[in-house]
Amino acid sequence: MVGLAVLAVRHFATSSWPFASGDPGLLAAAGLLFLLAQALKAYGWGRLFTPDDRPKVLALAAGNGGAALIGVVLPGRFDDAMRVAVVRRYPGCPAGVRALCLSLVMLGLIDSVALAPLALAAALFPGAGMAMRAALAVVAAAGVAAAALILALPRLSASSQALRFRAGRWLNPRTTSWRAASQAWALVSACWLVRAAAVFLLLGTLGVGFSFPLALLFLSASAAAAALPIGPAGAATQVGASGAALIASGVRASQALPVAVSVGALGVFSGAAILLFAVAWRTALSLVPPRAGGDG
């Protein structure tokens, strides 16, 4: 983080920051929307745990924040390892590593389901080319397949064949129910819609123009890049994919790339803010002396 900060200062000391041309009020609103999206994602993730294993919402939000930071410098999928590490180390976390990994698999499936209607709407955007429409169709199809798997998991985990194995007996009580999956889907869908609203504001204030279909296309391309098994760097891959989607839609490269960098930067800043808040909160609690018990 320190190294990245030094490089960023050196770069923007000689070139303008993309936010410099934006309206401060709209930029602040977009930043608040990104924070709200982080909170919704954490609440949605929490619904994928059993009540006995469920970590605190702040721990889950801090895990997402740590993932946003680590995605800047390390390849894709290291962000999931960062989520597990942060949440597991959070004081009072009842979930083990296996439960956290299972929840992340379910969260990825829920993300795919939540993105399917957005990808379908973006595919209907007139500015999307044939290659982009084909990629968005794959994202929508993946969402349908993920929904089918989520619906089938409770029955599969309760089958006699699965219960014959130790892994099946461990998985059965921890499988997400349809009700909990529906709650997680609603919260994660709200998270993506809030992000779309933030991107909508950024597109307008940074000169591309207020366009909700273009915002959906931007997010769908970024999410498709995030779903890759491995990438040169999680954040860089998403910025490149979303910037390429804007360029393919007719936006000039001189506008598309600063917008993509700005959206990625706000995502990292919002994640870092939540992670630092969680650290400060836990530090403050540890410094408060415990209250002495009464005399009865």
Side-chain angles (χ1 to χ4, degrees):
M1 290 174 59
V2 172
L4 284 174
V6 171
L7 291 175
V9 169
R10 289 184 59 185
H11 173 75
F12 291 112
T14 56
S15 59
S16 62
W17 178 251
F19 293 137
S21 61
D23 179 83
L26 293 179
L27 291 174
L32 292 175
L33 287 174
F34 273 111
L35 288 174
L36 176 59
Q38 292 274 7
L40 290 169
K41 188 68 170 287
Y43 274 105
W45 185 8
R47 303 312 304 167
L48 302 176
F49 293 90
T50 62
D52 293 336
D53 286 343
R54 186 172 298 151
K56 294 180 175 63
V57 174
L58 186 56
L60 298 175
N64 286 329
L69 287 175
I70 207 70
V72 176
V73 292
L74 292 181
R77 301 282 70 85
F78 277 89
D79 53 352
D80 287 336
M82 186 66 170
R83 285 186 175 94
V84 172
V86 171
V87 177
R88 186 69 186 92
R89 294 288 296 173
Y90 195 88
C93 175
V97 172
R98 289 186 298 175
L100 288 169
C101 291
L102 175 62
S103 71
L104 285 175
V105 172
M106 293 300 301
L107 184 61
L109 294 174
I110 294 291
D111 261 329
S112 296
V113 177
L115 277 168
L118 300 184
L120 185 59
L124 300 176
F125 178 50
M130 291 303 298
M132 185 60 64
R133 291 179 194 274
L136 293 173
V138 172
V139 173
V144 174
L149 181 57
I150 291 171
L151 292 174
L153 272 177
R155 181 171 297 179
L156 291 175
S157 64
S159 65
S160 58
Q161 291 85 353
L163 294 177
R164 290 170 54 191
F165 300 96
R166 182 179 177 182
R169 292 191 296 271
W170 177 87
L171 179 64
N172 181 39
R174 294 170 175 82
T175 301
T176 305
S177 65
W178 293 347
R179 180 180 180 182
S182 298
Q183 293 171 348
W185 168 79
L187 289 165
V188 173
S189 295
C191 163
W192 282 108
L193 288 175
V194 169
R195 286 183 181 178
V199 174
F200 171 81
L201 294 179
L202 288 173
L203 289 176
T205 192
L206 296 180
V208 175
F210 294 101
S211 171
F212 200 71
L214 196 57
L216 294 180
L217 180 65
F218 182 99
L219 280 180
S220 298
S222 176
L228 292 174
I230 196 73
T237 304
Q238 295 177 52
V239 167
S242 53
L246 292 180
I247 294 172
S249 301
V251 180
R252 297 195 307 272
S254 59
Q255 288 182 308
L257 294 180
V259 169
V261 170
S262 298
V263 174
L266 272 183
V268 173
F269 291 159
S270 62
I274 292 178
L275 179 61
L276 293 177
F277 174 79
V279 172
W281 178 259
R282 289 305 312 177
T283 303
L285 289 180
S286 66
L287 295 177
V288 175
R291 294 183 179 180
D295 294 334

